[in-house]
Amino acid sequence: MAHRLATLVTGASSGIGAALAASFAREPSRVLVLVARRTAPMHALAEEFKNRFGTETQVIEADLEVPGAAAQLLAQIDQLGLTVDTLVNNAGFGLNGPLQDMTLARVSGMLQLNITALTELTHGVVPAMRARRSGRILNVASIAAFQPCPNFAAYGASKAYVLSFSEALAIELETSGITVTAVCPGSTSSGFHAVAGSDRSLVAKFMDSAETVAEQAYKALQNGDSVVVTGWVNKPLPMMSRLMPRTMLARITGKLMAK
Ligand SMILES: NC(=O)c1ccc[n+]([C@@H]2O[C@H](COP(=O)([O-])OP(=O)(O)OC[C@H]3O[C@@H](n4cnc5c(N)ncnc54)[C@H](OP(=O)(O)O)[C@@H]3O)[C@@H](O)[C@H]2O)c1
């Protein structure tokens, strides 16, 4: 039997990922595949999407910090008779504070999730997209990608990777029928700041809703834009990062991100 097309959303159990899942649920021609470690919130979304839009949703539990988990996830999706036609690499977390205060295990897990799993999933889905000459990839970066981020050093660098990787891939794939979009949200109301330990930082005081971010990201993906910075207050950041001396920008960012 021919495989059906699917939209894969990682980190769909809360925040921006759950809001993005709701955007893609309005495309009932594709099966929605929701992935995270907590399955209960994703099953609740699956029920809601079935009732509201008639969308079929598969929920898969996966810890993408575990090496090899991305390949295992793609194999599971294949076994379900699905081909990923839209990949949303959203799962990710940050760690706030000086690097030496973090355990190496936590930092490595973050890099495995934010960088390696995202790269492996992308690498895994592109061949079938190329063969069909159609596909969409949405990678969730951050405004942290535009400058060095003292007190979020490894996280900011991981998001700089996501942005650079996405922009480069968008060009590599521009004649293939596949679009690659990087979304760069500013501070967003979600589980992020509790996980990162940044609830009391200045950046956590001015937040967009996850729904606003998802809406703008979805629109950019539909337009085939390669980068979108969400939230009007964040729009000047890419320009500022080009105009201001980098050390000055890094010092200001460090103050905004201090606990
Ligand atoms: N909120 C912000 O201020 C902000 C700003 C810019 C960019 N972002 C980015 O936006 C993305 C979504 O974050 P969010 O703000 O929506 O935060 P969130 O509410 O904490 O959501 C993070 C999602 O990632 C999943 N996740 C975390 N660790 C995972 C793992 N090991 N394996 C699989 N899934 C995992 C979580 O699910 P489980 O815990 O159930 O596994 C959850 O669904 C992240 O990439 C983040 O870096 C956030």
Side-chain angles (χ1 to χ4, degrees), residues 53-177:
F53 311 113
T55 308
E56 181 185 334
T57 304
Q58 295 282 346
V59 170
I60 300 180
E61 180 182 348
D63 183 346
L64 295 171
E65 281 171 64
V66 176
Q72 205 181 321
L73 169 62
L74 291 177
Q76 269 177 281
I77 292 171
D78 186 56
Q79 276 161 19
L80 289 170
L82 300 173
T83 296
V84 177
D85 147 84
T86 304
L87 170 63
V88 182
N89 276 312
N90 161 79
F93 70 91
L95 294 171
N96 187 211
L99 182 73
Q100 71 272 10
D101 291 356
M102 299 161 189
T103 66
L104 189 55
R106 213 57 189 120
V107 177
S108 298
M110 180 180 69
L111 299 180
Q112 182 74 31
L113 178 65
N114 294 9
I115 296 179
T116 308
L118 174 142
T119 308
E120 289 175 354
L121 289 175
T122 306
H123 186 268
V125 302
V126 164
M129 289 180 177
R130 282 189 91 114
R132 290 193 342 276
R133 296 200 59 75
S134 169
R136 299 177 296 178
I137 298 172
L138 179 64
N139 290 334
V140 181
S142 167
I143 56 166
F146 293 111
Q147 67 287 305
C149 300
N151 294 313
F152 254 127
Y155 173 72
S158 77
K159 293 300 182 178
Y161 173 91
V162 175
L163 178 61
S164 173
F165 174 69
S166 306
E167 288 182 293
L169 213 60
I171 290 175
E172 280 184 23
L173 296 172
E174 67 189 341
T175 58
S176 68

Side-chain angles (χ1 to χ4, degrees), residues 10-20 35-39 41-42 60-66 69 89-94 106 109 113-114 117-118 139-144 155 158-159 162 183-196 198 203-204 206-208 210 213 230:
T10 68
S13 62
S14 80
I16 297 169
L20 281 167
V35 175
R37 294 166 301 182
R38 288 167 293 168
T39 55
M42 298 191 289
I60 300 180
E61 180 182 348
D63 183 346
L64 295 171
E65 281 171 64
V66 176
N89 276 312
N90 161 79
F93 70 91
R106 213 57 189 120
L113 178 65
N114 294 9
L118 174 142
N139 290 334
V140 181
S142 167
I143 56 166
Y155 173 72
S158 77
K159 293 300 182 178
V162 175
V183 52
C184 300
S187 193
T188 308
S189 180
S190 69
F192 180 87
H193 290 289
V195 172
S198 50
V203 280
F206 309 96
M207 294 204 275
D208 284 318
V213 171
T230 59

Side-chain angles (χ1 to χ4, degrees), residues 4-17:
R4 287 174 303 160
L5 297 182
T7 297
L8 167 59
V9 182
T10 68
S13 62
S14 80
I16 297 169

